[in-house]
Amino acid sequence: ESNDAFARQIVDYTKQRGMRAFSAIGHSQGGCALLHALSYYSSGLNRVSSSRGAVVQGLASPWGGSALMNLYGFWRLIPFIGSVIPCGFVAELTPQGAALWLQVIPMKSRGLVTTERVAGVPPIPCFLSQLLLKVPNDGVVEADAAALSGGTNLPGPELGECHATGMEFPVCTLDHGRNARMNKRAARP
């Protein structure tokens, strides 16, 4: 699903629950969708001050796309690989599509995003995709592509974590220490 469709789902979900002002953390495409929502829709993201912390945080988000998405049609035919990319083909998550998408994302919005990047520990790959991605990567997104131009990119990548479950290292979303740091960094209404 496109970043716009995902963003509309986030906006609808938060409006249905009466969330008037909030910051948010998104993993993978979730970070892109939050940035899109911040840029193009009126939501609680627009009602929280960046002086109070990070408005949007992206963890392992493919701001620069993923070369794996270019090969999605092939990957989905191989069950154990297709399960790593459960989102289906998303043009905005290819390197070319991401570049086009970012052209219409205002720098003002990007400046409200903080990113965190992860990667396996070279030379041990997160996944077979290591053969197609530049090192370092998290098995889906190259570390360079997980940095957002105009955003606050924290030092990294943090090594020893992967993008999804079923890879060589633990999935990045289960790092309780990072989750606590991200929660503490989040802007409060």
Side-chain angles (χ1 to χ4, degrees):
E1 120 182 272
S2 71
N3 291 336
D4 182 66
F6 196 167
R8 281 183 279 135
Q9 285 183 12
I10 292 167
V11 171
D12 290 346
Y13 177 88
T14 58
K15 283 183 179 178
Q16 289 169 2
R17 281 152 186 80
M19 298 171 69
R20 298 188 41 77
F22 60 89
S23 60
I25 299 169
H27 171 253
S28 195
Q29 188 187 5
C32 300
L34 288 167
L35 175 56
H36 195 89
L38 178 66
S39 300
Y40 291 104
Y41 295 100
S42 176
S43 74
L45 289 169
N46 307 102
R47 295 183 194 99
V48 66
S49 172
S50 62
S51 66
R52 300 179 135 207
V55 175
V56 169
Q57 296 180 74
L59 174 60
S61 293
W63 312 108
S66 172
L68 295 184
M69 195 54 71
N70 287 334
L71 301 171
Y72 179 74
F74 171 74
W75 293 125
R76 68 182 177 80
L77 299 176
I78 303 172
F80 74 92
I81 293 178
S83 65
V84 174
I85 308 176
C87 58
F89 178 77
V90 179
E92 294 157 328
L93 299 184
T94 66
Q96 302 81 1
L100 291 172
W101 172 70
L102 282 173
Q103 287 179 4
V104 298
I105 298 297
M107 284 302 226
K108 180 180 177 182
S109 297
R110 295 186 204 191
L112 299 175
V113 176
T114 301
T115 69
E116 295 229 12
R117 301 169 291 153
V118 300
V121 181
I124 302 169
C126 278
F127 202 58
L128 293 175
S129 56
Q130 189 78 12
L131 302 172
L132 301 168
L133 299 174
K134 289 188 293 185
V135 175
N137 66 71
D138 65 11
V140 175
V141 181
E142 295 169 347
D144 289 346
L148 177 63
S149 170
T152 300
N153 299 297
L154 298 180
E158 190 166 322
L159 301 178
E161 296 180 336
C162 292
H163 194 89
T165 58
M167 294 185 167
E168 186 65 31
F169 296 98
V171 62
C172 60
T173 56
L174 298 181
D175 182 327
H176 300 293
R178 179 190 305 101
N179 292 348
R181 288 190 308 272
M182 292 179 90
N183 185 44
K184 186 175 181 178
R185 187 182 311 122
R188 304 288 187 227

